[in-house]
Amino acid sequence: VASHDSLVAQVSVCASLLVPVFCCIMSRKGIVGGNWKCNPKTVAEAQALAKAVEGGAWEASKVDVVLFPVALHALPAQQESKKAKIGMQNPYKAGAFTGEVSVDQIKDAGMEWVLVGHSERRHVFKESDALLAERVKLSQDSGLQVIYCIGELLEEREAGKTNDVCAQQLDAVLGSISDWSRVVLAYEPVWAIGTGKVATPEQAQEAHKAVRELIAAKVSPDVAAAIRIQYGGSVNAGNCKELIALPDVDGFLVGGAALKPEFLDIIAAVQG
């Protein structure tokens, strides 16, 4: 039988290992992103959406809320937003780049956040890892905060390659990131985006844990403990509470539901 002193020593070792991790988890502030994609149709509708979010019973001190309208709607939406932040969907650099919005223009408009690497940019518009890494670096160098999206296709999940795909997409931007405090990761399984399908809590936690472990190995354990990882993919008022209870899920990147009243329910779930 172990002595009293031996048991005390073992408990002390366990406490030294567990408490810092627990504290880091508890200190991560929840974050909800509303990716409006190419919606809504009018400026008036965009302003009404932003005003509805602003009127929700949530506190900016307890949860970060960032809305990503199309470029034409960003400034009108920003006029309605004090608690919520307005970000841009796809940053680049100034110059002869038709269709792009530069990081300098984004900052000049008073915006702090950008969205990079969404699956629609990767798979519909065929943006490469190298281009996405450039977008991240430009954003980092300008002091903007980045939500960087990763996630696998259905065939990649079925082939057991989820973690490999996420690792590849993360590896592509590691050299572009100098300030990890200005980065949020969004794990979005492509097969769950806009399909009504959602990853099970077990699938979501497994992927988020693997991402955090990869950051610990490639960057540092401290960064891994601090970085916020969102889940995205058919998040709604009905499944958000179960998902936000997972230890490695720190919020959501929301698509279709961000255009509906239930977006406020999702914010409330993350705020706790």
Side-chain angles (χ1 to χ4, degrees), residues 54-104:
E54 192 68 18
W58 58 275
E59 299 177 32
S61 62
K62 296 181 179 178
V63 60
D64 288 328
V65 176
V66 189
L67 307 177
F68 294 98
V70 297
L72 284 172
H73 293 170
L75 287 174
Q78 189 166 248
Q79 293 173 1
E80 305 295 336
S81 303
K82 296 294 185 290
K83 295 189 296 182
K85 300 296 184 181
I86 302 297
M88 291 298 296
Q89 293 181 13
N90 217 33
Y92 201 50
K93 56 189 174 185
F97 304 106
T98 301
E100 298 291 333
V101 179
S102 80
V103 292
D104 293 330

CSV table of all heavy atoms in Angstrom, one decimal, residues 54-104:
chain,number,residue,atom,x,y,z
A,54,GLU,N,-27.2,42.9,-33.5
A,54,GLU,CA,-26.8,43.9,-32.5
A,54,GLU,C,-27.8,44.0,-31.4
A,54,GLU,O,-27.4,44.2,-30.2
A,54,GLU,CB,-26.7,45.3,-33.2
A,54,GLU,CG,-26.0,46.3,-32.4
A,54,GLU,CD,-24.5,46.1,-32.1
A,54,GLU,OE1,-23.9,45.3,-32.9
A,54,GLU,OE2,-24.0,46.7,-31.2
A,55,GLY,N,-29.0,43.7,-31.7
A,55,GLY,CA,-30.1,43.8,-30.7
A,55,GLY,C,-30.2,42.6,-29.8
A,55,GLY,O,-31.1,42.6,-28.9
A,56,GLY,N,-29.4,41.6,-30.1
A,56,GLY,CA,-29.5,40.4,-29.3
A,56,GLY,C,-29.0,40.6,-27.9
A,56,GLY,O,-28.2,41.5,-27.6
A,57,ALA,N,-29.5,39.7,-27.0
A,57,ALA,CA,-29.1,39.8,-25.5
A,57,ALA,C,-27.8,39.1,-25.3
A,57,ALA,O,-27.7,38.2,-24.5
A,57,ALA,CB,-30.3,39.3,-24.7
A,58,TRP,N,-26.8,39.5,-25.9
A,58,TRP,CA,-25.4,39.0,-25.7
A,58,TRP,C,-24.5,40.1,-25.4
A,58,TRP,O,-24.7,41.2,-25.7
A,58,TRP,CB,-25.0,38.2,-26.9
A,58,TRP,CG,-24.9,38.9,-28.2
A,58,TRP,CD1,-25.9,39.1,-29.1
A,58,TRP,CD2,-23.8,39.6,-28.8
A,58,TRP,NE1,-25.5,39.9,-30.1
A,58,TRP,CE2,-24.2,40.2,-30.0
A,58,TRP,CE3,-22.5,39.8,-28.4
A,58,TRP,CZ2,-23.3,40.9,-30.8
A,58,TRP,CZ3,-21.6,40.5,-29.2
A,58,TRP,CH2,-22.0,41.1,-30.4
A,59,GLU,N,-23.4,39.7,-24.8
A,59,GLU,CA,-22.4,40.7,-24.3
A,59,GLU,C,-21.1,40.5,-25.0
A,59,GLU,O,-20.5,39.4,-25.0
A,59,GLU,CB,-22.2,40.7,-22.8
A,59,GLU,CG,-23.5,40.9,-22.0
A,59,GLU,CD,-23.3,40.8,-20.5
A,59,GLU,OE1,-22.2,41.0,-20.0
A,59,GLU,OE2,-24.3,40.3,-19.8
A,60,ALA,N,-20.5,41.6,-25.6
A,60,ALA,CA,-19.3,41.5,-26.3
A,60,ALA,C,-18.1,41.1,-25.4
A,60,ALA,O,-17.1,40.6,-25.8
A,60,ALA,CB,-19.0,42.8,-27.0
A,61,SER,N,-18.3,41.4,-24.1
A,61,SER,CA,-17.2,41.0,-23.1
A,61,SER,C,-17.2,39.5,-22.9
A,61,SER,O,-16.2,39.0,-22.4
A,61,SER,CB,-17.5,41.7,-21.8
A,61,SER,OG,-18.7,41.3,-21.2
A,62,LYS,N,-18.2,38.8,-23.3
A,62,LYS,CA,-18.3,37.3,-23.0
A,62,LYS,C,-18.2,36.5,-24.3
A,62,LYS,O,-17.9,35.3,-24.2
A,62,LYS,CB,-19.7,37.0,-22.3
A,62,LYS,CG,-19.8,37.7,-21.0
A,62,LYS,CD,-21.1,37.3,-20.3
A,62,LYS,CE,-21.3,37.9,-18.9
A,62,LYS,NZ,-22.6,37.6,-18.3
A,63,VAL,N,-18.5,37.1,-25.4
A,63,VAL,CA,-18.4,36.3,-26.7
A,63,VAL,C,-18.1,37.3,-27.8
A,63,VAL,O,-18.6,38.4,-27.8
A,63,VAL,CB,-19.7,35.5,-27.0
A,63,VAL,CG1,-20.9,36.5,-27.1
A,63,VAL,CG2,-19.6,34.7,-28.2
A,64,ASP,N,-17.2,36.8,-28.7
A,64,ASP,CA,-16.9,37.6,-29.9
A,64,ASP,C,-17.8,37.2,-31.0
A,64,ASP,O,-18.0,36.0,-31.2
A,64,ASP,CB,-15.4,37.4,-30.4
A,64,ASP,CG,-14.4,38.1,-29.4
A,64,ASP,OD1,-14.7,39.1,-28.9
A,64,ASP,OD2,-13.3,37.5,-29.3
A,65,VAL,N,-18.4,38.2,-31.7
A,65,VAL,CA,-19.3,37.9,-32.8
A,65,VAL,C,-18.7,38.7,-34.0
A,65,VAL,O,-18.6,40.0,-33.9
A,65,VAL,CB,-20.7,38.3,-32.5
A,65,VAL,CG1,-21.6,38.2,-33.7
A,65,VAL,CG2,-21.3,37.5,-31.3
A,66,VAL,N,-18.5,38.0,-35.1
A,66,VAL,CA,-17.9,38.7,-36.3
A,66,VAL,C,-18.8,38.3,-37.5
A,66,VAL,O,-19.1,37.1,-37.7
A,66,VAL,CB,-16.5,38.2,-36.6
A,66,VAL,CG1,-15.9,39.1,-37.7
A,66,VAL,CG2,-15.6,38.3,-35.3
A,67,LEU,N,-19.3,39.3,-38.2
A,67,LEU,CA,-20.1,39.1,-39.4
A,67,LEU,C,-19.3,39.4,-40.6
A,67,LEU,O,-18.6,40.3,-40.7
A,67,LEU,CB,-21.3,40.0,-39.3
A,67,LEU,CG,-22.2,40.0,-38.0
A,67,LEU,CD1,-23.3,41.0,-38.1
A,67,LEU,CD2,-22.7,38.6,-37.8
A,68,PHE,N,-19.5,38.5,-41.6
A,68,PHE,CA,-18.8,38.6,-42.9
A,68,PHE,C,-19.8,38.8,-44.1
A,68,PHE,O,-20.2,37.9,-44.7
A,68,PHE,CB,-17.9,37.4,-43.1
A,68,PHE,CG,-16.8,37.3,-42.1
A,68,PHE,CD1,-16.9,36.4,-41.1
A,68,PHE,CD2,-15.6,38.0,-42.3
A,68,PHE,CE1,-15.9,36.3,-40.1
A,68,PHE,CE2,-14.6,37.8,-41.4
A,68,PHE,CZ,-14.7,37.0,-40.3
A,69,PRO,N,-20.2,40.1,-44.4
A,69,PRO,CA,-21.0,40.3,-45.5
A,69,PRO,C,-20.2,40.4,-46.8
A,69,PRO,O,-18.9,40.4,-46.7
A,69,PRO,CB,-21.6,41.7,-45.2
A,69,PRO,CG,-21.0,42.2,-43.9
A,69,PRO,CD,-19.9,41.3,-43.6
A,70,VAL,N,-20.8,40.6,-47.9
A,70,VAL,CA,-20.1,40.9,-49.2
A,70,VAL,C,-19.6,42.3,-49.1
A,70,VAL,O,-20.0,43.1,-48.2
A,70,VAL,CB,-21.0,40.7,-50.4
A,70,VAL,CG1,-21.5,39.3,-50.6
A,70,VAL,CG2,-22.2,41.7,-50.3
A,71,ALA,N,-18.6,42.6,-49.9
A,71,ALA,CA,-17.9,43.9,-49.8
A,71,ALA,C,-18.8,45.1,-49.9
A,71,ALA,O,-18.7,46.0,-49.2
A,71,ALA,CB,-16.8,44.0,-50.9
A,72,LEU,N,-19.8,45.0,-50.8
A,72,LEU,CA,-20.8,46.1,-51.0
A,72,LEU,C,-21.6,46.4,-49.7
A,72,LEU,O,-22.1,47.5,-49.5
A,72,LEU,CB,-21.7,45.8,-52.2
A,72,LEU,CG,-21.1,46.0,-53.6
A,72,LEU,CD1,-22.1,45.5,-54.6
A,72,LEU,CD2,-20.7,47.5,-53.8
A,73,HIS,N,-21.8,45.3,-48.9
A,73,HIS,CA,-22.7,45.5,-47.7
A,73,HIS,C,-21.9,45.7,-46.5
A,73,HIS,O,-22.5,46.0,-45.4
A,73,HIS,CB,-23.5,44.2,-47.6
A,73,HIS,CG,-24.5,44.0,-48.7
A,73,HIS,ND1,-25.2,42.8,-48.8
A,73,HIS,CD2,-24.9,44.8,-49.7
A,73,HIS,CE1,-26.0,42.9,-49.8
A,73,HIS,NE2,-25.9,44.1,-50.4
A,74,ALA,N,-20.6,45.7,-46.5
A,74,ALA,CA,-19.8,45.7,-45.3
A,74,ALA,C,-19.9,47.0,-44.5
A,74,ALA,O,-20.2,47.1,-43.3
A,74,ALA,CB,-18.3,45.4,-45.6
A,75,LEU,N,-19.8,48.1,-45.2
A,75,LEU,CA,-19.8,49.4,-44.6
A,75,LEU,C,-21.3,49.8,-44.1
A,75,LEU,O,-21.4,50.2,-43.0
A,75,LEU,CB,-19.3,50.6,-45.5
A,75,LEU,CG,-17.8,50.6,-45.6
A,75,LEU,CD1,-17.4,51.6,-46.7
A,75,LEU,CD2,-17.1,50.8,-44.3
A,76,PRO,N,-22.3,49.5,-44.9
A,76,PRO,CA,-23.7,49.7,-44.3
A,76,PRO,C,-23.9,48.8,-43.1
A,76,PRO,O,-24.6,49.3,-42.2
A,76,PRO,CB,-24.6,49.4,-45.5
A,76,PRO,CG,-23.7,49.6,-46.7
A,76,PRO,CD,-22.3,49.2,-46.3
A,77,ALA,N,-23.5,47.6,-43.1
A,77,ALA,CA,-23.7,46.7,-42.0
A,77,ALA,C,-22.9,47.2,-40.8
A,77,ALA,O,-23.4,47.1,-39.6
A,77,ALA,CB,-23.3,45.3,-42.3
A,78,GLN,N,-21.7,47.8,-41.0
A,78,GLN,CA,-20.9,48.3,-39.9
A,78,GLN,C,-21.6,49.5,-39.2
A,78,GLN,O,-21.4,49.7,-38.0
A,78,GLN,CB,-19.5,48.7,-40.5
A,78,GLN,CG,-18.5,49.1,-39.4
A,78,GLN,CD,-17.1,49.2,-40.0
A,78,GLN,OE1,-16.3,48.4,-39.7
A,78,GLN,NE2,-16.9,50.2,-40.8
A,79,GLN,N,-22.4,50.2,-40.0
A,79,GLN,CA,-23.1,51.3,-39.4
A,79,GLN,C,-24.1,50.9,-38.3
A,79,GLN,O,-24.4,51.6,-37.4
A,79,GLN,CB,-23.8,52.1,-40.4
A,79,GLN,CG,-22.9,52.8,-41.4
A,79,GLN,CD,-23.6,53.5,-42.6
A,79,GLN,OE1,-24.8,53.4,-42.7
A,79,GLN,NE2,-22.9,54.1,-43.5
A,80,GLU,N,-24.5,49.6,-38.4
A,80,GLU,CA,-25.5,49.1,-37.5
A,80,GLU,C,-24.9,48.3,-36.4
A,80,GLU,O,-25.6,47.7,-35.5
A,80,GLU,CB,-26.5,48.2,-38.2
A,80,GLU,CG,-27.2,48.9,-39.4
A,80,GLU,CD,-28.1,50.0,-39.0
A,80,GLU,OE1,-28.6,50.0,-37.8
A,80,GLU,OE2,-28.4,50.9,-39.8
A,81,SER,N,-23.5,48.2,-36.4
A,81,SER,CA,-22.9,47.3,-35.5
A,81,SER,C,-21.9,48.0,-34.5
A,81,SER,O,-21.0,48.7,-34.9
A,81,SER,CB,-22.1,46.2,-36.3
A,81,SER,OG,-22.9,45.6,-37.2
A,82,LYS,N,-22.1,47.7,-33.2
A,82,LYS,CA,-21.2,48.2,-32.2
A,82,LYS,C,-20.7,47.0,-31.4
A,82,LYS,O,-19.4,46.9,-31.2
A,82,LYS,CB,-22.0,49.1,-31.2
A,82,LYS,CG,-22.5,50.4,-31.9
A,82,LYS,CD,-21.4,51.3,-32.4
A,82,LYS,CE,-22.0,52.6,-32.9
A,82,LYS,NZ,-22.7,52.5,-34.2
A,83,LYS,N,-21.5,46.1,-31.0
A,83,LYS,CA,-21.0,44.9,-30.3
A,83,LYS,C,-20.4,44.0,-31.3
A,83,LYS,O,-19.3,43.5,-31.0
A,83,LYS,CB,-22.2,44.2,-29.6
A,83,LYS,CG,-22.8,45.0,-28.4
A,83,LYS,CD,-23.8,44.2,-27.6
A,83,LYS,CE,-25.0,43.7,-28.5
A,83,LYS,NZ,-26.0,42.9,-27.7
A,84,ALA,N,-21.1,43.7,-32.3
A,84,ALA,CA,-20.5,42.8,-33.4
A,84,ALA,C,-19.5,43.5,-34.2
A,84,ALA,O,-19.5,44.7,-34.4
A,84,ALA,CB,-21.6,42.3,-34.2
A,85,LYS,N,-18.5,42.7,-34.7
A,85,LYS,CA,-17.5,43.3,-35.6
A,85,LYS,C,-17.9,42.8,-37.0
A,85,LYS,O,-18.5,41.8,-37.3
A,85,LYS,CB,-16.1,42.7,-35.3
A,85,LYS,CG,-15.6,43.0,-33.9
A,85,LYS,CD,-15.4,44.5,-33.7
A,85,LYS,CE,-14.8,44.8,-32.3
A,85,LYS,NZ,-14.7,46.3,-32.1
A,86,ILE,N,-17.5,43.7,-38.0
A,86,ILE,CA,-17.8,43.4,-39.4
A,86,ILE,C,-16.4,43.1,-40.0
A,86,ILE,O,-15.4,43.8,-39.8
A,86,ILE,CB,-18.4,44.6,-40.1
A,86,ILE,CG1,-19.8,44.9,-39.5
A,86,ILE,CG2,-18.6,44.2,-41.6
A,86,ILE,CD1,-20.8,43.8,-39.5
A,87,GLY,N,-16.3,41.9,-40.7
A,87,GLY,CA,-15.1,41.5,-41.4
A,87,GLY,C,-15.3,41.4,-42.9
A,87,GLY,O,-16.4,41.5,-43.4
A,88,MET,N,-14.2,41.1,-43.6
A,88,MET,CA,-14.2,40.9,-45.0
A,88,MET,C,-13.9,39.5,-45.3
A,88,MET,O,-13.1,38.8,-44.6
A,88,MET,CB,-13.2,41.8,-45.7
A,88,MET,CG,-13.6,43.3,-45.7
A,88,MET,SD,-15.2,43.7,-46.5
A,88,MET,CE,-14.8,43.2,-48.2
A,89,GLN,N,-14.5,39.0,-46.4
A,89,GLN,CA,-14.5,37.6,-46.7
A,89,GLN,C,-13.2,37.1,-47.3
A,89,GLN,O,-12.8,35.9,-47.1
A,89,GLN,CB,-15.6,37.2,-47.6
A,89,GLN,CG,-17.0,37.3,-47.0
A,89,GLN,CD,-18.1,36.9,-47.9
A,89,GLN,OE1,-17.9,36.3,-48.9
A,89,GLN,NE2,-19.3,37.2,-47.6
A,90,ASN,N,-12.5,37.9,-48.1
A,90,ASN,CA,-11.3,37.4,-48.8
A,90,ASN,C,-10.3,38.5,-49.1
A,90,ASN,O,-10.4,39.2,-50.1
A,90,ASN,CB,-11.9,36.8,-50.2
A,90,ASN,CG,-11.1,35.6,-50.6
A,90,ASN,OD1,-10.7,34.8,-49.8
A,90,ASN,ND2,-11.0,35.4,-51.9
A,91,PRO,N,-9.3,38.7,-48.2
A,91,PRO,CA,-8.4,39.8,-48.3
A,91,PRO,C,-7.3,39.5,-49.3
A,91,PRO,O,-6.8,38.4,-49.5
A,91,PRO,CB,-7.9,39.9,-46.9
A,91,PRO,CG,-7.8,38.5,-46.4
A,91,PRO,CD,-9.1,37.9,-47.0
A,92,TYR,N,-6.8,40.6,-49.9
A,92,TYR,CA,-5.6,40.4,-50.8
A,92,TYR,C,-4.7,41.7,-50.7
A,92,TYR,O,-4.7,42.4,-49.6
A,92,TYR,CB,-6.0,40.1,-52.2
A,92,TYR,CG,-4.8,39.4,-53.0
A,92,TYR,CD1,-4.1,38.4,-52.4
A,92,TYR,CD2,-4.5,39.9,-54.2
A,92,TYR,CE1,-3.1,37.8,-53.1
A,92,TYR,CE2,-3.4,39.3,-54.9
A,92,TYR,CZ,-2.7,38.3,-54.4
A,92,TYR,OH,-1.7,37.7,-55.1
A,93,LYS,N,-4.1,42.1,-51.7
A,93,LYS,CA,-3.2,43.3,-51.7
A,93,LYS,C,-3.7,44.2,-52.8
A,93,LYS,O,-4.4,43.9,-53.8
A,93,LYS,CB,-1.8,42.9,-51.9
A,93,LYS,CG,-1.5,42.1,-53.2
A,93,LYS,CD,-0.1,41.6,-53.2
A,93,LYS,CE,0.2,40.7,-54.4
A,93,LYS,NZ,1.6,40.1,-54.3
A,94,ALA,N,-3.3,45.5,-52.6
A,94,ALA,CA,-3.7,46.5,-53.6
A,94,ALA,C,-2.9,46.4,-54.9
A,94,ALA,O,-1.8,45.8,-54.9
A,94,ALA,CB,-3.4,47.9,-53.0
A,95,GLY,N,-3.5,46.8,-56.0
A,95,GLY,CA,-2.8,46.7,-57.3
A,95,GLY,C,-3.7,46.3,-58.4
A,95,GLY,O,-4.9,46.4,-58.3
A,96,ALA,N,-3.1,45.7,-59.4
A,96,ALA,CA,-3.9,45.2,-60.6
A,96,ALA,C,-4.5,43.9,-60.3
A,96,ALA,O,-4.1,42.9,-60.9
A,96,ALA,CB,-3.0,45.2,-61.8
A,97,PHE,N,-5.4,43.8,-59.4
A,97,PHE,CA,-6.0,42.5,-59.0
A,97,PHE,C,-7.5,42.7,-59.0
A,97,PHE,O,-8.2,42.9,-58.0
A,97,PHE,CB,-5.5,42.1,-57.6
A,97,PHE,CG,-4.0,42.0,-57.5
A,97,PHE,CD1,-3.3,43.0,-56.8
A,97,PHE,CD2,-3.3,41.0,-58.2
A,97,PHE,CE1,-1.9,42.9,-56.8
A,97,PHE,CE2,-2.0,40.9,-58.1
A,97,PHE,CZ,-1.2,41.9,-57.4
A,98,THR,N,-8.1,42.5,-60.2
A,98,THR,CA,-9.5,42.8,-60.4
A,98,THR,C,-10.4,41.8,-59.5
A,98,THR,O,-10.1,40.6,-59.4
A,98,THR,CB,-9.9,42.5,-61.8
A,98,THR,OG1,-9.1,43.4,-62.7
A,98,THR,CG2,-11.4,42.7,-62.1
A,99,GLY,N,-11.3,42.4,-58.8
A,99,GLY,CA,-12.2,41.6,-57.9
A,99,GLY,C,-11.8,41.5,-56.5
A,99,GLY,O,-12.5,40.9,-55.7
A,100,GLU,N,-10.6,41.9,-56.2
A,100,GLU,CA,-10.1,41.7,-54.8
A,100,GLU,C,-10.3,43.0,-53.9
A,100,GLU,O,-10.5,44.1,-54.5
A,100,GLU,CB,-8.6,41.4,-54.9
A,100,GLU,CG,-8.2,40.1,-55.6
A,100,GLU,CD,-8.7,38.9,-54.9
A,100,GLU,OE1,-8.8,38.9,-53.6
A,100,GLU,OE2,-9.0,37.8,-55.5
A,101,VAL,N,-10.1,42.8,-52.6
A,101,VAL,CA,-10.2,43.9,-51.7
A,101,VAL,C,-8.9,43.8,-50.9
A,101,VAL,O,-8.6,42.7,-50.3
A,101,VAL,CB,-11.4,43.8,-50.7
A,101,VAL,CG1,-11.4,44.9,-49.7
A,101,VAL,CG2,-12.7,43.9,-51.6
A,102,SER,N,-8.1,44.9,-50.8
A,102,SER,CA,-6.8,44.8,-50.1
A,102,SER,C,-6.9,44.9,-48.6
A,102,SER,O,-7.9,45.5,-48.1
A,102,SER,CB,-5.9,45.9,-50.7
A,102,SER,OG,-6.2,47.2,-50.1
A,103,VAL,N,-5.9,44.4,-47.9
A,103,VAL,CA,-5.9,44.5,-46.5
A,103,VAL,C,-5.8,46.0,-46.0
A,103,VAL,O,-6.4,46.3,-45.0
A,103,VAL,CB,-4.7,43.7,-45.9
A,103,VAL,CG1,-4.9,42.2,-46.1
A,103,VAL,CG2,-3.3,44.2,-46.5
A,104,ASP,N,-5.1,46.8,-46.8
A,104,ASP,CA,-5.1,48.2,-46.4
A,104,ASP,C,-6.4,48.9,-46.5
A,104,ASP,O,-6.8,49.7,-45.7
A,104,ASP,CB,-4.1,49.0,-47.4
A,104,ASP,CG,-2.6,48.5,-47.2
A,104,ASP,OD1,-2.3,48.1,-46.0
A,104,ASP,OD2,-1.9,48.5,-48.1
